[in-house]
Amino acid sequence: MPNDIGHSASSKRREDVRFLTGVGNYTDDIDLHRQSHVVFLRSQVAHGRLKAVETTAAAAMPGVLRIFTGADFEGVGGIPTGWQITSRDGEVMQEPGHPVLAQGKVRFVGDMIAAVVAETEDQARDAAEAIELDIEELPAVIDMKAALAEGSPKVHDDLTGNLCYDWGFVEDNRDAVDAAIKAADHVTTLELVNNRLVANPMEPRVAIGDFAPGTGDSTLYTTSQNPHLIRLLMGAFVLGIPEHKLRVVAPDVGGGFGTKIFHYAEEAFCTFAAKALKRPVKWTSTRSEAFISDAHGRDHVTKIELALSKEGDFLAVRTDTHANMGAYLSTFAPAVPTWLHGILMAGNYKTPLIYVNVKAVFTNTVPVDAYRGAGRPEATFQLERVIDKAAREMGFDPIELRRRNFIHDFPYATPVAVEYDTGDYDATLDKLLEISDHAGFEARRDASAKKGLLRGLGINCYIEACGIAPSNLVGQLGARAGLYESATVRVNATGGLVVMTGSHSHGQGHETAFPQVIAKMIGIDENMIEIVHGDTANAPMGMGTYGSRSLAVGGSAMVRATEKIIAKAKKIAAHLLEASDADIELKDGQFSIVGTDKSVAWGEVTLAAYVPHNYPLDDIEPGLEETAFYDPTNFTYPAGAYSCEVEVDPDTGRVTIERFAAADDFGNVINPMIVEGQVHGGIGQGIGQALLEGAVYDDNGQLLTGSYMDYAMPRADDLPFFQVDHSCQTPCTHNPLGVKGCGEAGAIGSPPAVVNAVVDALQRAGLDVTHIDMPLSPARVWSAMNS
């Protein structure tokens, strides 16, 4: 199938009708018969020995059905991680147990100690407050480098220390990289922090467990990006429930940004307790709980070195990163700073030698895992910041230094084991300079100066790897699950289609974009196609939505299933038209004999599939339904160039973003309006990280930014109007749609553009400022200006 089916047009998101009119069906909207409520008692200390949990008085309070503690989960599996990393020395990572409820110790503020199930949430909350705890507080370890020091307190007593793994890639390159850096004409070094973030989706997490005593079936309703994976992990590894006896339903989900990929202990508890109590158990997170229980993102500390020739050619890159795992290993946590980060350190550039070292560290903090971009933003930020610094040190124009080192010939095998199939980095950079009015910057800078403000320009380029596949490759790299996607296409007798997909929509617009693809293949109206997702009882086994994979992987599975449908329908049409199926073509919803005016409509063929009066059953079986699983042969590689113009108030350090432009190459684009919305959202989150957001712990492990009073989220007035473009399209060569993915690009390309712009503004003013760590708050910028 030629990948020109990837070209389509904007249409309004059909799912927005129910969202905007308040009739969406979110997990918290679900209330089951005889439903009870659970409130978790969470640790208020970051590290402590759990000596006693006294529940007698609390258990006697009105409405309380039962209080669970860690003792109730002895013999029950812990929360598993989905990826295993091997250290440089060949040893597999240290993988501590993660009990559903704390057993013996608490390891971060927010760790679950007890669970009170009662008739109402208020009754459960009152009883939770009446539980008496005896905790011997232990020294908390928060700083990663301190955690690795000799004699540091252990987060997990049964491990050899707080080092999870020490990963090097590509290890065979290490000596050559060291030699290249030693011999280089110039080496630029930069130490930086990729700040810890809290995802803060609009909808907090919710879980409802249900159990049917008559059949022994368990059902979990949850706010998940991948219900099949939750069923696999929770059923097989935690609760020991066979998959055919466990149903997981993720209805409408109000945003995820990665934090709803993972299997959480609250989901396992609600499922376990529902069976124990023989009645539904519901938990709805408060926003305060979300800050200390949802997986956090980023939190890397990195030293990066870039070696260059005197002409400006990149010779080698070496990085040393400490990556915070938090107290436990979340589902994809080990992979984020390694295989989702290290393999992107080539960026858009033909650097011949690269070595990446990552030390993953346990600390007494909330577990850290994937957040929009997941490893790709960390790689891009390091690389694009050090390139900007090198350009200034060596007297090169930052744009021209990037151009000089761009990859031009594709496919291109990088020194970090991935192969880019297509790209045109000059084209996206040229487009960026055009839409950003780069030529007019100096005039705008002069206008800012007349107002007493410092104006700066930041440019950066990015590339990311999407799709997170193929399964055989990621399996060799430590993945404990396949990363294919699936689709079942069911054609009804009257010609309408129901498409059941393992992908999950939580804001991406699947119910609009997926029908566009199939409707174009068949030549029918998009409204004849319904997308069903989020229920393991209705959809084939799939891996969910993350890593900008929905269209490239999930959409490709739909294409393959639809191709099977069309092939069978052509056989039926051939019988109806008394021709060979090889002579039948499908166009605009009509099957016709090539070169003739004889045709039969799509609806006539689909009806014949279920009322088989006109073709022999021994030749074609009745019905029209097909399933396909699609496992990509490679990642996809979206790329682009971003620019940011800022004004800095020299008196206060306040940064205002005046202009922002993004030129992206997403390959073929199905729905330009949805793509533009995805880019806008990503840029907003990236600007939030660059200027405002940051999860901060004190030395005792207390989260100082545990509410919106202290954790600054971006608001509309923090953002300018964005100029975005995705007309530079180099279609992916290895999926049938030619698409690459767009969901994370904005969050990857925007942070370095913002920081580069602020540093540029200060350096143009004659200030010796080479770097400021995110978030670039007024206080940090003012301090840098006045230090």
Side-chain angles (χ1 to χ4, degrees):
M1 173 69 65
N3 62 27
D4 61 358
I5 56 176
H7 293 288
S8 195
S10 294
S11 62
K12 292 182 179 180
R13 301 197 332 169
R14 64 168 74 171
E15 51 268 68
D16 286 350
V17 173
R18 68 177 186 272
F19 297 150
L20 295 174
T21 56
V23 293
N25 183 37
Y26 297 91
T27 308
D28 194 52
D29 293 323
I30 299 171
D31 287 306
L32 305 178
H33 179 59
R34 297 183 67 241
Q35 178 176 281
S36 60
H37 297 263
V38 62
V39 168
F40 295 104
L41 178 63
R42 299 180 182 274
S43 177
Q44 297 182 20
V45 301
H47 196 197
R49 204 167 304 284
L50 196 56
K51 301 180 74 174
V53 182
E54 178 52 57
T55 64
T56 304
M61 293 180 68
V64 174
L65 299 175
R66 181 171 169 181
I67 298 177
F68 295 80
T69 67
D72 293 296
F73 286 84
E74 292 181 3
V76 175
I79 307 301
T81 188
W83 211 292
Q84 185 180 75
I85 297 299
T86 300
S87 290
R88 295 169 47 216
D89 61 4
E91 294 294 319
V92 298
M93 67 186 188
Q94 295 201 93
E95 189 172 351
H98 183 182
V100 175
L101 295 177
Q103 297 174 351
K105 283 179 72 173
V106 291
R107 295 181 172 88
F108 66 97
V109 172
D111 211 354
M112 299 195 307
I113 297 172
V116 180
V117 182
E119 296 288 354
T120 71
E121 184 177 347
D122 287 342
Q123 290 172 332
R125 197 169 303 283
D126 289 342
E129 293 175 358
I131 296 175
E132 298 179 10
L133 299 177
D134 183 2
I135 299 178
E136 176 192 348
E137 192 164 358
L138 301 172
V141 55
I142 307 302
D143 180 80
M144 286 186 282
K145 293 183 180 179
L148 298 181
E150 187 175 352
S152 177
K154 288 184 183 179
V155 178
H156 297 274
D157 296 339
D158 55 334
L159 302 186
T160 60
N162 294 320
L163 180 67
C164 177
Y165 57 74
D166 180 1
W167 182 79
F169 193 73
V170 174
E171 198 63 28
D172 290 345
N173 289 352
R174 188 175 188 179
D175 291 343
V177 169
D178 291 347
I181 290 175
K182 185 176 182 180
D185 295 325
H186 183 89
V187 177
T188 294
T189 302
L190 181 61
E191 296 187 20
L192 49 80
V193 174
N194 208 292
N195 41 325
R196 179 184 280 240
L197 302 174
V198 180
N200 281 310
M202 186 179 295
E203 174 202 31
R205 288 190 296 119
V206 183
I208 306 171
D210 193 18
F211 179 72
T215 62
D217 291 344
S218 292
T219 300
L220 170 69
Y221 301 89
T222 183
T223 47
S224 175
Q225 297 176 217
N226 51 357
H228 282 97
L229 186 63
I230 304 306
R231 184 182 67 172
L232 175 63
L233 294 178
M234 186 178 74
F237 298 101
V238 185
L239 301 181
I241 303 173
E243 284 186 274
H244 69 283
K245 305 299 287 183
L246 175 61
R247 177 189 179 198
V248 177
V249 181
D252 290 331
V253 173
F257 312 122
T259 198
K260 291 178 182 173
I261 300 172
F262 324 121
H263 174 41
Y264 288 94
E266 294 91 347
E267 295 168 321
F269 174 82
C270 288
T271 308
F272 177 90
K275 182 176 182 179
L277 298 173
K278 303 291 191 293
R279 58 187 295 183
V281 177
K282 181 175 185 177
W283 169 71
T284 299
S285 173
T286 66
R287 185 60 67 180
S288 296
E289 271 187 298
F291 272 93
I292 57 172
S293 64
D294 291 2
H296 291 179
R298 313 287 195 252
D299 205 352
H300 289 189
V301 176
T302 296
K303 177 182 177 181
I304 181 170
E305 297 164 282
L306 172 63
L308 304 93
S309 70
K310 61 180 181 294
E311 293 81 15
D313 296 320
F314 297 170
L315 304 176
V317 168
R318 179 171 63 197
T319 73
D320 180 30
T321 292
H322 287 73
N324 203 332
M325 296 289 100
Y328 298 103
L329 291 177
S330 182
T331 305
F332 285 135
V336 173
T338 52
W339 299 115
L340 299 184
H341 156 249
I343 63 170
L344 270 299
M345 285 310 303
N348 309 62
Y349 312 106
K350 52 191 178 189
T351 312
L353 293 167
I354 299 172
Y355 179 74
V356 179
N357 178 233
V358 178
K359 296 177 179 65
V361 185
F362 293 113
T363 62
N364 292 117
T365 62
V366 171
V368 179
D369 208 321
Y371 171 73
R372 197 170 191 168
R376 282 71 57 85
E378 294 90 321
T380 298
F381 187 71
Q382 298 168 39
L383 194 57
E384 292 300 313
R385 282 295 299 120
V386 80
I387 290 172
D388 238 46
K389 187 169 185 277
R392 298 182 192 284
E393 289 175 352
M394 299 182 72
F396 291 120
D397 178 281
I399 295 174
E400 295 311 313
L401 182 60
R402 288 174 167 86
R403 280 197 194 276
R404 180 181 182 88
N405 289 280
F406 274 164
I407 298 163
H408 293 104
D409 298 322
F410 296 89
Y412 177 82
T414 76
V416 277
V418 293
E419 182 174 281
Y420 305 160
D421 59 333
T422 60
D424 189 340
Y425 309 144
D426 281 304
T428 51
L429 184 53
D430 289 342
K431 178 58 69 172
L432 175 75
L433 300 180
E434 174 193 329
I435 65 174
S436 66
D437 185 23
H438 181 71
F441 170 73
E442 289 299 335
R444 293 189 292 273
R445 179 171 173 255
D446 290 342
S448 296
K450 290 176 182 178
K451 297 185 293 182
L453 301 173
L454 311 178
R455 196 177 191 103
L457 170 66
I459 299 283
N460 78 277
C461 301
Y462 80 91
I463 190 168
E464 61 165 324
C466 298
I468 320 299
S471 295
N472 64 342
L473 172 61
V474 297
Q476 295 171 36
L477 304 182
R480 289 169 169 167
L483 293 176
Y484 52 83
E485 198 44 82
S486 63
T488 294
V489 177
R490 176 180 298 158
V491 183
N492 297 318
T494 53
L497 287 81
V498 177
V499 180
M500 292 155 279
T501 173
S503 298
H504 186 277
S505 180
H506 45 278
Q508 291 83 359
H510 291 177
E511 293 172 40
T512 301
F514 287 162
Q516 288 182 259
V517 173
I518 297 171
K520 187 166 185 177
M521 292 179 69
I522 298 173
I524 59 176
D525 191 280
E526 296 163 17
N527 292 318
M528 295 177 64
I529 302 166
E530 179 183 0
I531 304 299
V532 175
H533 63 89
D535 188 341
T536 61
N538 294 334
M541 177 74 174
M543 290 294 106
T545 295
Y546 45 85
S548 303
R549 72 192 300 270
S550 295
L551 200 56
V553 188
S556 294
M558 292 181 195
V559 169
R560 294 299 184 227
T562 304
E563 288 172 343
K564 293 180 182 180
I565 291 287
I566 292 172
K568 181 176 180 181
K570 282 184 176 181
K571 291 182 179 181
I572 298 173
H575 279 286
L576 299 179
L577 294 170
E578 298 180 337
S580 167
D581 59 294
D583 296 327
I584 301 296
E585 67 175 357
L586 173 61
K587 186 177 182 181
D588 298 329
Q590 294 284 326
F591 293 92
S592 60
I593 302 174
V594 176
T596 75
D597 59 358
K598 294 184 64 177
S599 66
V600 60
W602 167 259
E604 295 177 71
V605 173
T606 61
L607 182 62
Y610 291 94
V611 186
H613 294 167
N614 296 314
Y615 60 89
L617 292 180
D618 57 352
D619 186 19
I620 307 171
E621 64 184 28
L624 203 51
E625 179 175 327
E626 298 288 349
T627 295
F629 287 78
Y630 181 78
D631 200 346
T633 58
N634 192 2
F635 297 106
T636 64
Y637 299 98
Y642 284 21
S643 77
C644 176
E645 291 185 27
V646 300
E647 284 184 340
V648 180
D649 187 332
D651 295 327
T652 65
R654 185 174 186 271
V655 176
T656 302
I657 298 181
E658 293 296 314
R659 298 168 70 92
F660 200 100
D664 296 290
D665 175 7
F666 296 135
N668 291 338
V669 171
I670 300 299
N671 188 310
M673 183 187 71
I674 289 177
V675 168
E676 188 167 333
Q678 288 288 313
V679 174
H680 280 207
I683 293 172
Q685 285 184 277
I687 290 173
Q689 176 176 12
L691 294 184
L692 299 162
E693 299 182 52
V696 179
Y697 283 91
D698 69 12
D699 291 341
N700 296 315
Q702 295 295 327
L703 182 63
L704 301 179
T705 52
S707 77
Y708 291 142
M709 294 293 290
D710 305 295
Y711 188 95
M713 294 284 286
R715 301 180 299 183
D717 61 357
D718 293 311
L719 309 173
F721 182 80
F722 305 135
Q723 295 287 342
V724 301
D725 179 271
H726 43 259
S727 63
C728 301
Q729 299 176 0
T730 59
C732 175
T733 60
H734 54 78
N735 69 55
L737 289 167
V739 297
K740 294 185 177 182
C742 68
E744 297 163 295
I748 295 170
S750 50
V754 174
V755 178
N756 286 349
V758 173
V759 172
D760 179 68
L762 302 187
Q763 292 202 343
R764 287 175 185 269
L767 298 170
D768 185 20
V769 177
T770 59
H771 181 69
I772 307 172
D773 277 325
M774 300 184 291
L776 275 64
S777 63
R780 284 188 175 182
V781 175
W782 188 90
S783 295
M785 295 170 67
N786 290 277
S787 63

